[in-house]
Amino acid sequence: MSMDLGLYDERLRGVHLIQGIGLSSNIYVIGRRMVTLIDTGVGNRPNAVWPRLRALGIGPEDLAQVVITHAHHDHVGGIFQILELASPKVFLHPMDARYIAGYLGPNLVRVEDGDVVETEIAPLEVIHTPGHTAGGICLYAKEKRLLFSGDTVFPEGLYGAYQGESGSLEEMVNSLRRLTELDVDILLAGHGEPLFHGGRDHIRLAYKKALRRYESLRR
């Protein structure tokens, strides 16, 4: 199942959401001719990538690039199906790329904080947001006040788990603090429903909750 997000907000014209089923990330599909994907889902049968892209009229020849917000299997598993039929650039932060670089070969493009990924709808600034993983990133379209937030922050003041191998609550707090400084209206997270208005308030709430948790553990 997919959602044409442009029907809900003009700023998202050209963006479709393929929602994850079960333990699988959302996939955001940007554009029609030089398509960009944000994350790829887990890649199991309910979340198979190509049938869902073809339902949107997108074939291997249309897929130009994939941005992975972090290398957890529920976000990156689908890339292996993609690479069976297509050869897009795959953007990933070096701290997370180390886990799967050998599988991506020449398709891998390592991105750092402040880099820009050009897409059909807008340039997306890479913001390094460690906390959930060491190499987690968000993607910010300033003019559209739009943030693809991966598993760093979610609506309703929720934020990503930090107990994993490369997670850190302190880094999560610092990343959320940084995101509060952005002018965000639309929040498109790695799981769940899109948020079309008031994203900055939800980010600020997540920051306050994470900070309170961090301070309570330090006592």
mmCIF file with all atom_site columns, all heavy atoms in Angstrom, residues 8 18 24 39 47 51 59 61 64 68-69 87 92 97 110 123 129 132 137 140 154 168 183 186 194 196 201 213:
data_model
loop_
_atom_site.group_PDB
_atom_site.id
_atom_site.type_symbol
_atom_site.label_atom_id
_atom_site.label_alt_id
_atom_site.label_comp_id
_atom_site.label_asym_id
_atom_site.label_entity_id
_atom_site.label_seq_id
_atom_site.pdbx_PDB_ins_code
_atom_site.Cartn_x
_atom_site.Cartn_y
_atom_site.Cartn_z
_atom_site.occupancy
_atom_site.B_iso_or_equiv
_atom_site.pdbx_formal_charge
_atom_site.auth_seq_id
_atom_site.auth_comp_id
_atom_site.auth_asym_id
_atom_site.auth_atom_id
_atom_site.pdbx_PDB_model_num
ATOM 1   N N   . TYR A 1 8   ? -1.942 15.444 0.352   1.00 0.00 ? 8   TYR A N   1
ATOM 2   C CA  . TYR A 1 8   ? -2.146 15.976 1.695   1.00 0.00 ? 8   TYR A CA  1
ATOM 3   C C   . TYR A 1 8   ? -1.447 17.314 1.905   1.00 0.00 ? 8   TYR A C   1
ATOM 4   O O   . TYR A 1 8   ? -1.856 18.087 2.771   1.00 0.00 ? 8   TYR A O   1
ATOM 5   C CB  . TYR A 1 8   ? -1.649 14.973 2.726   1.00 0.00 ? 8   TYR A CB  1
ATOM 6   C CG  . TYR A 1 8   ? -2.360 13.640 2.653   1.00 0.00 ? 8   TYR A CG  1
ATOM 7   C CD1 . TYR A 1 8   ? -1.891 12.626 1.817   1.00 0.00 ? 8   TYR A CD1 1
ATOM 8   C CD2 . TYR A 1 8   ? -3.505 13.395 3.410   1.00 0.00 ? 8   TYR A CD2 1
ATOM 9   C CE1 . TYR A 1 8   ? -2.550 11.408 1.736   1.00 0.00 ? 8   TYR A CE1 1
ATOM 10  C CE2 . TYR A 1 8   ? -4.161 12.178 3.334   1.00 0.00 ? 8   TYR A CE2 1
ATOM 11  C CZ  . TYR A 1 8   ? -3.679 11.194 2.493   1.00 0.00 ? 8   TYR A CZ  1
ATOM 12  O OH  . TYR A 1 8   ? -4.333 9.982  2.410   1.00 0.00 ? 8   TYR A OH  1
ATOM 13  N N   . ILE A 1 18  ? 5.580  4.354  0.963   1.00 0.00 ? 18  ILE A N   1
ATOM 14  C CA  . ILE A 1 18  ? 5.274  2.930  1.045   1.00 0.00 ? 18  ILE A CA  1
ATOM 15  C C   . ILE A 1 18  ? 5.469  2.529  2.496   1.00 0.00 ? 18  ILE A C   1
ATOM 16  O O   . ILE A 1 18  ? 6.593  2.500  2.996   1.00 0.00 ? 18  ILE A O   1
ATOM 17  C CB  . ILE A 1 18  ? 6.195  2.101  0.126   1.00 0.00 ? 18  ILE A CB  1
ATOM 18  C CG1 . ILE A 1 18  ? 6.026  2.516  -1.327  1.00 0.00 ? 18  ILE A CG1 1
ATOM 19  C CG2 . ILE A 1 18  ? 5.912  0.620  0.295   1.00 0.00 ? 18  ILE A CG2 1
ATOM 20  C CD1 . ILE A 1 18  ? 7.003  1.844  -2.284  1.00 0.00 ? 18  ILE A CD1 1
ATOM 21  N N   . SER A 1 24  ? 9.340  -3.382 9.668   1.00 0.00 ? 24  SER A N   1
ATOM 22  C CA  . SER A 1 24  ? 9.959  -2.884 8.445   1.00 0.00 ? 24  SER A CA  1
ATOM 23  C C   . SER A 1 24  ? 9.798  -1.376 8.405   1.00 0.00 ? 24  SER A C   1
ATOM 24  O O   . SER A 1 24  ? 8.767  -0.834 8.803   1.00 0.00 ? 24  SER A O   1
ATOM 25  C CB  . SER A 1 24  ? 9.303  -3.505 7.205   1.00 0.00 ? 24  SER A CB  1
ATOM 26  O OG  . SER A 1 24  ? 9.914  -3.035 6.019   1.00 0.00 ? 24  SER A OG  1
ATOM 27  N N   . ASP A 1 39  ? 15.411 4.971  2.436   1.00 0.00 ? 39  ASP A N   1
ATOM 28  C CA  . ASP A 1 39  ? 15.321 3.653  3.069   1.00 0.00 ? 39  ASP A CA  1
ATOM 29  C C   . ASP A 1 39  ? 14.644 2.637  2.145   1.00 0.00 ? 39  ASP A C   1
ATOM 30  O O   . ASP A 1 39  ? 14.022 2.987  1.135   1.00 0.00 ? 39  ASP A O   1
ATOM 31  C CB  . ASP A 1 39  ? 14.648 3.726  4.436   1.00 0.00 ? 39  ASP A CB  1
ATOM 32  C CG  . ASP A 1 39  ? 15.547 4.398  5.472   1.00 0.00 ? 39  ASP A CG  1
ATOM 33  O OD1 . ASP A 1 39  ? 16.773 4.253  5.380   1.00 0.00 ? 39  ASP A OD1 1
ATOM 34  O OD2 . ASP A 1 39  ? 15.015 5.056  6.388   1.00 0.00 ? 39  ASP A OD2 1
ATOM 35  N N   . ASN A 1 47  ? 7.149  -7.084 2.389   1.00 0.00 ? 47  ASN A N   1
ATOM 36  C CA  . ASN A 1 47  ? 7.752  -5.793 2.097   1.00 0.00 ? 47  ASN A CA  1
ATOM 37  C C   . ASN A 1 47  ? 8.662  -5.846 0.859   1.00 0.00 ? 47  ASN A C   1
ATOM 38  O O   . ASN A 1 47  ? 9.593  -5.045 0.747   1.00 0.00 ? 47  ASN A O   1
ATOM 39  C CB  . ASN A 1 47  ? 8.546  -5.317 3.308   1.00 0.00 ? 47  ASN A CB  1
ATOM 40  C CG  . ASN A 1 47  ? 7.664  -5.035 4.500   1.00 0.00 ? 47  ASN A CG  1
ATOM 41  O OD1 . ASN A 1 47  ? 6.971  -4.026 4.554   1.00 0.00 ? 47  ASN A OD1 1
ATOM 42  N ND2 . ASN A 1 47  ? 7.659  -5.941 5.475   1.00 0.00 ? 47  ASN A ND2 1
ATOM 43  N N   . PRO A 1 51  ? 7.693  -5.184 -6.438  1.00 0.00 ? 51  PRO A N   1
ATOM 44  C CA  . PRO A 1 51  ? 6.245  -5.125 -6.713  1.00 0.00 ? 51  PRO A CA  1
ATOM 45  C C   . PRO A 1 51  ? 5.613  -3.813 -6.269  1.00 0.00 ? 51  PRO A C   1
ATOM 46  O O   . PRO A 1 51  ? 4.701  -3.296 -6.945  1.00 0.00 ? 51  PRO A O   1
ATOM 47  C CB  . PRO A 1 51  ? 5.696  -6.311 -5.917  1.00 0.00 ? 51  PRO A CB  1
ATOM 48  C CG  . PRO A 1 51  ? 6.847  -7.254 -5.783  1.00 0.00 ? 51  PRO A CG  1
ATOM 49  C CD  . PRO A 1 51  ? 8.048  -6.386 -5.646  1.00 0.00 ? 51  PRO A CD  1
ATOM 50  N N   . GLY A 1 59  ? 10.226 1.403  -12.568 1.00 0.00 ? 59  GLY A N   1
ATOM 51  C CA  . GLY A 1 59  ? 11.014 0.221  -12.875 1.00 0.00 ? 59  GLY A CA  1
ATOM 52  C C   . GLY A 1 59  ? 12.480 0.439  -12.573 1.00 0.00 ? 59  GLY A C   1
ATOM 53  O O   . GLY A 1 59  ? 12.893 1.547  -12.173 1.00 0.00 ? 59  GLY A O   1
ATOM 54  N N   . GLU A 1 61  ? 15.000 0.964  -14.403 1.00 0.00 ? 61  GLU A N   1
ATOM 55  C CA  . GLU A 1 61  ? 15.629 2.024  -15.187 1.00 0.00 ? 61  GLU A CA  1
ATOM 56  C C   . GLU A 1 61  ? 15.352 3.420  -14.627 1.00 0.00 ? 61  GLU A C   1
ATOM 57  O O   . GLU A 1 61  ? 16.040 4.389  -14.971 1.00 0.00 ? 61  GLU A O   1
ATOM 58  C CB  . GLU A 1 61  ? 15.160 1.953  -16.644 1.00 0.00 ? 61  GLU A CB  1
ATOM 59  C CG  . GLU A 1 61  ? 13.699 2.286  -16.877 1.00 0.00 ? 61  GLU A CG  1
ATOM 60  C CD  . GLU A 1 61  ? 12.729 1.141  -16.578 1.00 0.00 ? 61  GLU A CD  1
ATOM 61  O OE1 . GLU A 1 61  ? 13.185 0.068  -16.108 1.00 0.00 ? 61  GLU A OE1 1
ATOM 62  O OE2 . GLU A 1 61  ? 11.523 1.327  -16.817 1.00 0.00 ? 61  GLU A OE2 1
ATOM 63  N N   . ALA A 1 64  ? 17.443 6.058  -9.529  1.00 0.00 ? 64  ALA A N   1
ATOM 64  C CA  . ALA A 1 64  ? 18.762 6.691  -9.616  1.00 0.00 ? 64  ALA A CA  1
ATOM 65  C C   . ALA A 1 64  ? 19.569 6.556  -8.338  1.00 0.00 ? 64  ALA A C   1
ATOM 66  O O   . ALA A 1 64  ? 20.794 6.379  -8.387  1.00 0.00 ? 64  ALA A O   1
ATOM 67  C CB  . ALA A 1 64  ? 18.598 8.172  -9.955  1.00 0.00 ? 64  ALA A CB  1
ATOM 68  N N   . ILE A 1 68  ? 20.110 5.664  2.709   1.00 0.00 ? 68  ILE A N   1
ATOM 69  C CA  . ILE A 1 68  ? 19.830 4.829  3.878   1.00 0.00 ? 68  ILE A CA  1
ATOM 70  C C   . ILE A 1 68  ? 20.063 5.664  5.129   1.00 0.00 ? 68  ILE A C   1
ATOM 71  O O   . ILE A 1 68  ? 21.168 6.172  5.352   1.00 0.00 ? 68  ILE A O   1
ATOM 72  C CB  . ILE A 1 68  ? 20.749 3.585  3.901   1.00 0.00 ? 68  ILE A CB  1
ATOM 73  C CG1 . ILE A 1 68  ? 20.613 2.787  2.602   1.00 0.00 ? 68  ILE A CG1 1
ATOM 74  C CG2 . ILE A 1 68  ? 20.443 2.726  5.116   1.00 0.00 ? 68  ILE A CG2 1
ATOM 75  C CD1 . ILE A 1 68  ? 19.269 2.173  2.370   1.00 0.00 ? 68  ILE A CD1 1
ATOM 76  N N   . THR A 1 69  ? 19.030 5.827  5.954   1.00 0.00 ? 69  THR A N   1
ATOM 77  C CA  . THR A 1 69  ? 19.186 6.664  7.148   1.00 0.00 ? 69  THR A CA  1
ATOM 78  C C   . THR A 1 69  ? 20.045 6.001  8.212   1.00 0.00 ? 69  THR A C   1
ATOM 79  O O   . THR A 1 69  ? 20.687 6.691  8.999   1.00 0.00 ? 69  THR A O   1
ATOM 80  C CB  . THR A 1 69  ? 17.821 7.035  7.757   1.00 0.00 ? 69  THR A CB  1
ATOM 81  O OG1 . THR A 1 69  ? 17.122 5.837  8.160   1.00 0.00 ? 69  THR A OG1 1
ATOM 82  C CG2 . THR A 1 69  ? 16.980 7.821  6.758   1.00 0.00 ? 69  THR A CG2 1
ATOM 83  N N   . SER A 1 87  ? 21.073 -0.433 -10.507 1.00 0.00 ? 87  SER A N   1
ATOM 84  C CA  . SER A 1 87  ? 22.390 -0.062 -9.996  1.00 0.00 ? 87  SER A CA  1
ATOM 85  C C   . SER A 1 87  ? 22.410 1.402  -9.560  1.00 0.00 ? 87  SER A C   1
ATOM 86  O O   . SER A 1 87  ? 23.157 2.224  -10.094 1.00 0.00 ? 87  SER A O   1
ATOM 87  C CB  . SER A 1 87  ? 23.460 -0.309 -11.062 1.00 0.00 ? 87  SER A CB  1
ATOM 88  O OG  . SER A 1 87  ? 24.756 -0.132 -10.536 1.00 0.00 ? 87  SER A OG  1
ATOM 89  N N   . LEU A 1 92  ? 25.133 6.557  2.330   1.00 0.00 ? 92  LEU A N   1
ATOM 90  C CA  . LEU A 1 92  ? 25.149 6.040  3.698   1.00 0.00 ? 92  LEU A CA  1
ATOM 91  C C   . LEU A 1 92  ? 26.297 6.706  4.444   1.00 0.00 ? 92  LEU A C   1
ATOM 92  O O   . LEU A 1 92  ? 27.369 6.949  3.869   1.00 0.00 ? 92  LEU A O   1
ATOM 93  C CB  . LEU A 1 92  ? 25.328 4.528  3.652   1.00 0.00 ? 92  LEU A CB  1
ATOM 94  C CG  . LEU A 1 92  ? 25.114 3.680  4.899   1.00 0.00 ? 92  LEU A CG  1
ATOM 95  C CD1 . LEU A 1 92  ? 23.701 3.839  5.448   1.00 0.00 ? 92  LEU A CD1 1
ATOM 96  C CD2 . LEU A 1 92  ? 25.371 2.211  4.565   1.00 0.00 ? 92  LEU A CD2 1
ATOM 97  N N   . ALA A 1 97  ? 28.087 2.612  7.128   1.00 0.00 ? 97  ALA A N   1
ATOM 98  C CA  . ALA A 1 97  ? 28.464 1.949  5.883   1.00 0.00 ? 97  ALA A CA  1
ATOM 99  C C   . ALA A 1 97  ? 29.416 0.788  6.134   1.00 0.00 ? 97  ALA A C   1
ATOM 100 O O   . ALA A 1 97  ? 29.430 -0.184 5.373   1.00 0.00 ? 97  ALA A O   1
ATOM 101 C CB  . ALA A 1 97  ? 29.110 2.958  4.935   1.00 0.00 ? 97  ALA A CB  1
ATOM 102 N N   . ARG A 1 110 ? 29.620 7.381  0.376   1.00 0.00 ? 110 ARG A N   1
ATOM 103 C CA  . ARG A 1 110 ? 29.652 7.755  1.795   1.00 0.00 ? 110 ARG A CA  1
ATOM 104 C C   . ARG A 1 110 ? 29.353 9.243  1.926   1.00 0.00 ? 110 ARG A C   1
ATOM 105 O O   . ARG A 1 110 ? 29.967 10.064 1.238   1.00 0.00 ? 110 ARG A O   1
ATOM 106 C CB  . ARG A 1 110 ? 31.010 7.415  2.405   1.00 0.00 ? 110 ARG A CB  1
ATOM 107 C CG  . ARG A 1 110 ? 31.291 5.911  2.461   1.00 0.00 ? 110 ARG A CG  1
ATOM 108 C CD  . ARG A 1 110 ? 32.714 5.636  2.921   1.00 0.00 ? 110 ARG A CD  1
ATOM 109 N NE  . ARG A 1 110 ? 32.955 4.210  3.105   1.00 0.00 ? 110 ARG A NE  1
ATOM 110 C CZ  . ARG A 1 110 ? 33.331 3.389  2.126   1.00 0.00 ? 110 ARG A CZ  1
ATOM 111 N NH1 . ARG A 1 110 ? 33.509 3.865  0.890   1.00 0.00 ? 110 ARG A NH1 1
ATOM 112 N NH2 . ARG A 1 110 ? 33.538 2.106  2.368   1.00 0.00 ? 110 ARG A NH2 1
ATOM 113 N N   . PRO A 1 123 ? 16.792 19.824 -2.872  1.00 0.00 ? 123 PRO A N   1
ATOM 114 C CA  . PRO A 1 123 ? 18.036 19.310 -2.309  1.00 0.00 ? 123 PRO A CA  1
ATOM 115 C C   . PRO A 1 123 ? 17.813 18.920 -0.853  1.00 0.00 ? 123 PRO A C   1
ATOM 116 O O   . PRO A 1 123 ? 17.124 19.622 -0.105  1.00 0.00 ? 123 PRO A O   1
ATOM 117 C CB  . PRO A 1 123 ? 19.000 20.496 -2.432  1.00 0.00 ? 123 PRO A CB  1
ATOM 118 C CG  . PRO A 1 123 ? 18.127 21.704 -2.499  1.00 0.00 ? 123 PRO A CG  1
ATOM 119 C CD  . PRO A 1 123 ? 16.846 21.275 -3.138  1.00 0.00 ? 123 PRO A CD  1
ATOM 120 N N   . THR A 1 129 ? 23.020 12.410 12.807  1.00 0.00 ? 129 THR A N   1
ATOM 121 C CA  . THR A 1 129 ? 22.279 12.375 14.083  1.00 0.00 ? 129 THR A CA  1
ATOM 122 C C   . THR A 1 129 ? 22.542 11.053 14.800  1.00 0.00 ? 129 THR A C   1
ATOM 123 O O   . THR A 1 129 ? 21.668 10.183 14.866  1.00 0.00 ? 129 THR A O   1
ATOM 124 C CB  . THR A 1 129 ? 20.771 12.565 13.846  1.00 0.00 ? 129 THR A CB  1
ATOM 125 O OG1 . THR A 1 129 ? 20.320 11.622 12.854  1.00 0.00 ? 129 THR A OG1 1
ATOM 126 C CG2 . THR A 1 129 ? 20.464 13.978 13.390  1.00 0.00 ? 129 THR A CG2 1
ATOM 127 N N   . HIS A 1 132 ? 20.708 6.634  17.825  1.00 0.00 ? 132 HIS A N   1
ATOM 128 C CA  . HIS A 1 132 ? 20.092 5.334  17.538  1.00 0.00 ? 132 HIS A CA  1
ATOM 129 C C   . HIS A 1 132 ? 21.155 4.384  16.993  1.00 0.00 ? 132 HIS A C   1
ATOM 130 O O   . HIS A 1 132 ? 21.253 3.232  17.415  1.00 0.00 ? 132 HIS A O   1
ATOM 131 C CB  . HIS A 1 132 ? 18.955 5.522  16.541  1.00 0.00 ? 132 HIS A CB  1
ATOM 132 C CG  . HIS A 1 132 ? 18.184 4.278  16.222  1.00 0.00 ? 132 HIS A CG  1
ATOM 133 N ND1 . HIS A 1 132 ? 17.510 3.552  17.180  1.00 0.00 ? 132 HIS A ND1 1
ATOM 134 C CD2 . HIS A 1 132 ? 17.976 3.635  15.043  1.00 0.00 ? 132 HIS A CD2 1
ATOM 135 C CE1 . HIS A 1 132 ? 16.935 2.505  16.614  1.00 0.00 ? 132 HIS A CE1 1
ATOM 136 N NE2 . HIS A 1 132 ? 17.207 2.529  15.309  1.00 0.00 ? 132 HIS A NE2 1
ATOM 137 N N   . ILE A 1 137 ? 21.478 9.262  10.097  1.00 0.00 ? 137 ILE A N   1
ATOM 138 C CA  . ILE A 1 137 ? 21.329 10.575 9.486   1.00 0.00 ? 137 ILE A CA  1
ATOM 139 C C   . ILE A 1 137 ? 19.861 10.931 9.333   1.00 0.00 ? 137 ILE A C   1
ATOM 140 O O   . ILE A 1 137 ? 18.993 10.063 9.281   1.00 0.00 ? 137 ILE A O   1
ATOM 141 C CB  . ILE A 1 137 ? 22.012 10.664 8.100   1.00 0.00 ? 137 ILE A CB  1
ATOM 142 C CG1 . ILE A 1 137 ? 21.392 9.671  7.109   1.00 0.00 ? 137 ILE A CG1 1
ATOM 143 C CG2 . ILE A 1 137 ? 23.516 10.462 8.220   1.00 0.00 ? 137 ILE A CG2 1
ATOM 144 C CD1 . ILE A 1 137 ? 21.891 9.855  5.670   1.00 0.00 ? 137 ILE A CD1 1
ATOM 145 N N   . TYR A 1 140 ? 17.174 17.002 5.410   1.00 0.00 ? 140 TYR A N   1
ATOM 146 C CA  . TYR A 1 140 ? 16.414 18.225 5.630   1.00 0.00 ? 140 TYR A CA  1
ATOM 147 C C   . TYR A 1 140 ? 16.284 19.023 4.341   1.00 0.00 ? 140 TYR A C   1
ATOM 148 O O   . TYR A 1 140 ? 17.274 19.340 3.684   1.00 0.00 ? 140 TYR A O   1
ATOM 149 C CB  . TYR A 1 140 ? 17.140 19.069 6.682   1.00 0.00 ? 140 TYR A CB  1
ATOM 150 C CG  . TYR A 1 140 ? 16.473 20.369 7.048   1.00 0.00 ? 140 TYR A CG  1
ATOM 151 C CD1 . TYR A 1 140 ? 15.117 20.423 7.371   1.00 0.00 ? 140 TYR A CD1 1
ATOM 152 C CD2 . TYR A 1 140 ? 17.207 21.553 7.099   1.00 0.00 ? 140 TYR A CD2 1
ATOM 153 C CE1 . TYR A 1 140 ? 14.514 21.622 7.721   1.00 0.00 ? 140 TYR A CE1 1
ATOM 154 C CE2 . TYR A 1 140 ? 16.616 22.753 7.463   1.00 0.00 ? 140 TYR A CE2 1
ATOM 155 C CZ  . TYR A 1 140 ? 15.264 22.780 7.768   1.00 0.00 ? 140 TYR A CZ  1
ATOM 156 O OH  . TYR A 1 140 ? 14.669 23.970 8.127   1.00 0.00 ? 140 TYR A OH  1
ATOM 157 N N   . PHE A 1 154 ? 10.333 10.806 16.115  1.00 0.00 ? 154 PHE A N   1
ATOM 158 C CA  . PHE A 1 154 ? 9.018  10.445 15.601  1.00 0.00 ? 154 PHE A CA  1
ATOM 159 C C   . PHE A 1 154 ? 7.982  11.448 16.128  1.00 0.00 ? 154 PHE A C   1
ATOM 160 O O   . PHE A 1 154 ? 8.242  12.182 17.093  1.00 0.00 ? 154 PHE A O   1
ATOM 161 C CB  . PHE A 1 154 ? 8.632  9.040  16.073  1.00 0.00 ? 154 PHE A CB  1
ATOM 162 C CG  . PHE A 1 154 ? 9.601  7.971  15.687  1.00 0.00 ? 154 PHE A CG  1
ATOM 163 C CD1 . PHE A 1 154 ? 10.660 7.630  16.530  1.00 0.00 ? 154 PHE A CD1 1
ATOM 164 C CD2 . PHE A 1 154 ? 9.469  7.287  14.486  1.00 0.00 ? 154 PHE A CD2 1
ATOM 165 C CE1 . PHE A 1 154 ? 11.563 6.647  16.176  1.00 0.00 ? 154 PHE A CE1 1
ATOM 166 C CE2 . PHE A 1 154 ? 10.365 6.300  14.131  1.00 0.00 ? 154 PHE A CE2 1
ATOM 167 C CZ  . PHE A 1 154 ? 11.410 5.974  14.975  1.00 0.00 ? 154 PHE A CZ  1
ATOM 168 N N   . SER A 1 168 ? 23.603 5.501  21.736  1.00 0.00 ? 168 SER A N   1
ATOM 169 C CA  . SER A 1 168 ? 24.050 6.299  22.878  1.00 0.00 ? 168 SER A CA  1
ATOM 170 C C   . SER A 1 168 ? 22.957 7.298  23.236  1.00 0.00 ? 168 SER A C   1
ATOM 171 O O   . SER A 1 168 ? 22.535 8.084  22.380  1.00 0.00 ? 168 SER A O   1
ATOM 172 C CB  . SER A 1 168 ? 25.344 7.044  22.539  1.00 0.00 ? 168 SER A CB  1
ATOM 173 O OG  . SER A 1 168 ? 25.600 8.097  23.450  1.00 0.00 ? 168 SER A OG  1
ATOM 174 N N   . ASP A 1 183 ? 13.887 24.625 11.266  1.00 0.00 ? 183 ASP A N   1
ATOM 175 C CA  . ASP A 1 183 ? 12.501 25.026 11.030  1.00 0.00 ? 183 ASP A CA  1
ATOM 176 C C   . ASP A 1 183 ? 11.805 23.868 10.319  1.00 0.00 ? 183 ASP A C   1
ATOM 177 O O   . ASP A 1 183 ? 11.889 23.733 9.092   1.00 0.00 ? 183 ASP A O   1
ATOM 178 C CB  . ASP A 1 183 ? 12.470 26.294 10.186  1.00 0.00 ? 183 ASP A CB  1
ATOM 179 C CG  . ASP A 1 183 ? 11.064 26.831 10.002  1.00 0.00 ? 183 ASP A CG  1
ATOM 180 O OD1 . ASP A 1 183 ? 10.130 26.317 10.664  1.00 0.00 ? 183 ASP A OD1 1
ATOM 181 O OD2 . ASP A 1 183 ? 10.882 27.748 9.172   1.00 0.00 ? 183 ASP A OD2 1
ATOM 182 N N   . ILE A 1 186 ? 6.933  19.591 8.329   1.00 0.00 ? 186 ILE A N   1
ATOM 183 C CA  . ILE A 1 186 ? 6.589  18.222 7.937   1.00 0.00 ? 186 ILE A CA  1
ATOM 184 C C   . ILE A 1 186 ? 7.636  17.259 8.481   1.00 0.00 ? 186 ILE A C   1
ATOM 185 O O   . ILE A 1 186 ? 8.829  17.441 8.245   1.00 0.00 ? 186 ILE A O   1
ATOM 186 C CB  . ILE A 1 186 ? 6.519  18.092 6.411   1.00 0.00 ? 186 ILE A CB  1
ATOM 187 C CG1 . ILE A 1 186 ? 5.514  19.092 5.820   1.00 0.00 ? 186 ILE A CG1 1
ATOM 188 C CG2 . ILE A 1 186 ? 6.153  16.672 6.011   1.00 0.00 ? 186 ILE A CG2 1
ATOM 189 C CD1 . ILE A 1 186 ? 5.573  19.195 4.307   1.00 0.00 ? 186 ILE A CD1 1
ATOM 190 N N   . PRO A 1 194 ? 2.873  9.863  8.551   1.00 0.00 ? 194 PRO A N   1
ATOM 191 C CA  . PRO A 1 194 ? 3.489  11.175 8.329   1.00 0.00 ? 194 PRO A CA  1
ATOM 192 C C   . PRO A 1 194 ? 2.827  12.248 9.177   1.00 0.00 ? 194 PRO A C   1
ATOM 193 O O   . PRO A 1 194 ? 1.649  12.151 9.524   1.00 0.00 ? 194 PRO A O   1
ATOM 194 C CB  . PRO A 1 194 ? 3.252  11.425 6.840   1.00 0.00 ? 194 PRO A CB  1
ATOM 195 C CG  . PRO A 1 194 ? 2.072  10.581 6.486   1.00 0.00 ? 194 PRO A CG  1
ATOM 196 C CD  . PRO A 1 194 ? 2.123  9.384  7.388   1.00 0.00 ? 194 PRO A CD  1
ATOM 197 N N   . PHE A 1 196 ? 2.167  16.305 9.039   1.00 0.00 ? 196 PHE A N   1
ATOM 198 C CA  . PHE A 1 196 ? 2.177  17.361 8.041   1.00 0.00 ? 196 PHE A CA  1
ATOM 199 C C   . PHE A 1 196 ? 2.321  18.766 8.619   1.00 0.00 ? 196 PHE A C   1
ATOM 200 O O   . PHE A 1 196 ? 2.607  19.699 7.875   1.00 0.00 ? 196 PHE A O   1
ATOM 201 C CB  . PHE A 1 196 ? 0.909  17.279 7.189   1.00 0.00 ? 196 PHE A CB  1
ATOM 202 C CG  . PHE A 1 196 ? 0.788  15.996 6.417   1.00 0.00 ? 196 PHE A CG  1
ATOM 203 C CD1 . PHE A 1 196 ? -0.156 15.044 6.771   1.00 0.00 ? 196 PHE A CD1 1
ATOM 204 C CD2 . PHE A 1 196 ? 1.634  15.734 5.358   1.00 0.00 ? 196 PHE A CD2 1
ATOM 205 C CE1 . PHE A 1 196 ? -0.272 13.861 6.063   1.00 0.00 ? 196 PHE A CE1 1
ATOM 206 C CE2 . PHE A 1 196 ? 1.535  14.556 4.639   1.00 0.00 ? 196 PHE A CE2 1
ATOM 207 C CZ  . PHE A 1 196 ? 0.582  13.607 4.993   1.00 0.00 ? 196 PHE A CZ  1
ATOM 208 N N   . ASP A 1 201 ? 7.576  21.292 17.026  1.00 0.00 ? 201 ASP A N   1
ATOM 209 C CA  . ASP A 1 201 ? 7.061  21.106 18.386  1.00 0.00 ? 201 ASP A CA  1
ATOM 210 C C   . ASP A 1 201 ? 7.237  19.659 18.840  1.00 0.00 ? 201 ASP A C   1
ATOM 211 O O   . ASP A 1 201 ? 7.554  19.396 20.006  1.00 0.00 ? 201 ASP A O   1
ATOM 212 C CB  . ASP A 1 201 ? 5.587  21.498 18.461  1.00 0.00 ? 201 ASP A CB  1
ATOM 213 C CG  . ASP A 1 201 ? 5.369  22.987 18.270  1.00 0.00 ? 201 ASP A CG  1
ATOM 214 O OD1 . ASP A 1 201 ? 6.308  23.767 18.544  1.00 0.00 ? 201 ASP A OD1 1
ATOM 215 O OD2 . ASP A 1 201 ? 4.271  23.375 17.828  1.00 0.00 ? 201 ASP A OD2 1
ATOM 216 N N   . ARG A 1 213 ? 15.362 11.895 30.589  1.00 0.00 ? 213 ARG A N   1
ATOM 217 C CA  . ARG A 1 213 ? 15.820 10.530 30.810  1.00 0.00 ? 213 ARG A CA  1
ATOM 218 C C   . ARG A 1 213 ? 17.322 10.488 31.080  1.00 0.00 ? 213 ARG A C   1
ATOM 219 O O   . ARG A 1 213 ? 17.783 9.782  31.992  1.00 0.00 ? 213 ARG A O   1
ATOM 220 C CB  . ARG A 1 213 ? 15.486 9.684  29.566  1.00 0.00 ? 213 ARG A CB  1
ATOM 221 C CG  . ARG A 1 213 ? 16.001 8.248  29.597  1.00 0.00 ? 213 ARG A CG  1
ATOM 222 C CD  . ARG A 1 213 ? 15.343 7.436  30.675  1.00 0.00 ? 213 ARG A CD  1
ATOM 223 N NE  . ARG A 1 213 ? 15.733 6.061  30.613  1.00 0.00 ? 213 ARG A NE  1
ATOM 224 C CZ  . ARG A 1 213 ? 15.564 5.179  31.603  1.00 0.00 ? 213 ARG A CZ  1
ATOM 225 N NH1 . ARG A 1 213 ? 15.008 5.559  32.738  1.00 0.00 ? 213 ARG A NH1 1
ATOM 226 N NH2 . ARG A 1 213 ? 15.946 3.939  31.461  1.00 0.00 ? 213 ARG A NH2 1
#
